[in-house]
């Protein structure tokens, strides 16, 4: 799961859900932007820029739990759905819409926030 493959419109096929371990992540690159694609325990898929809003820690190397990921550098907890820091921490990383078609994962880069 290293390159983006063009699909119709803004949605791009990036791989299969089977490419991502449960409660893990894989990265894809879009130019200079690295995007972490996460799989939760209940097989939900989310995509965030691979930078914690605190010190740019690699979220793809964090711990996935529930609907969040904990940054491996300073334990900030980031919502997988919104990219926002939770609790008393403030900040946000870009999030990207994803959709599943069977077991294929599509990523929309035009709607990143």
């Amino acid at each position: 799961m290293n390159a983006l493959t063009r699909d119709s419109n803004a949605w791009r096929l990036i791989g299969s859900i089977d490419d991502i371990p449960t409660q893990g992540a894989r990265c894809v690159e879009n130019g200079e932007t690295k995007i972490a694609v996460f799989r939760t325990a209940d097989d939900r898929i989310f995509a965030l820029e691979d930078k914690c809003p605190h010190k740019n820690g690699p979220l793809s190397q964090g711990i996935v739990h529930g609907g969040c990921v904990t940054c491996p550098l300073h334990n900030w907890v980031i919502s997988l759905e919104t990219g926002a820091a939770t609790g008393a921490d403030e900040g946000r990383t870009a999030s990207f819409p994803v959709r599943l078609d069977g077991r294929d994962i599509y990523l929309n880069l035009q709607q990143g926030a």
Side-chain angles (χ1 to χ4, degrees):
M1 188 179 277
N2 292 321
L4 296 173
T5 304
R6 285 224 177 261
D7 185 49
S8 62
N9 302 319
W11 292 97
R12 296 182 186 183
L13 176 65
I14 59 168
S16 166
I17 191 171
D18 301 311
D19 296 336
I20 307 172
T22 302
Q23 294 184 284
R26 291 289 185 259
C27 290
V28 294
E29 294 182 3
N30 183 42
E32 296 183 13
T33 302
K34 193 174 193 182
I35 301 168
V37 182
F38 299 92
R39 178 180 176 184
T40 63
D42 57 357
D43 288 340
R44 291 179 294 151
I45 302 294
F46 299 94
L48 300 175
E49 186 170 3
D50 193 23
K51 297 193 312 192
C52 179
H54 177 226
K55 298 274 186 180
N56 296 331
L59 294 176
S60 61
Q61 296 176 30
I63 297 170
V64 176
H65 51 96
C68 297
V69 60
T70 298
C71 179
L73 294 185
H74 300 99
N75 295 323
W76 276 39
V77 178
I78 309 300
S79 166
L80 292 173
E81 189 169 335
T82 65
T86 63
D89 297 321
E90 294 182 7
R92 175 182 303 268
T93 193
S95 62
F96 299 89
V98 294
R99 67 176 167 89
L100 284 173
D101 183 3
R103 300 200 65 81
D104 292 335
I105 302 170
Y106 289 84
L107 179 65
N108 187 323
L109 297 171
Q110 293 184 347
Q111 297 178 10

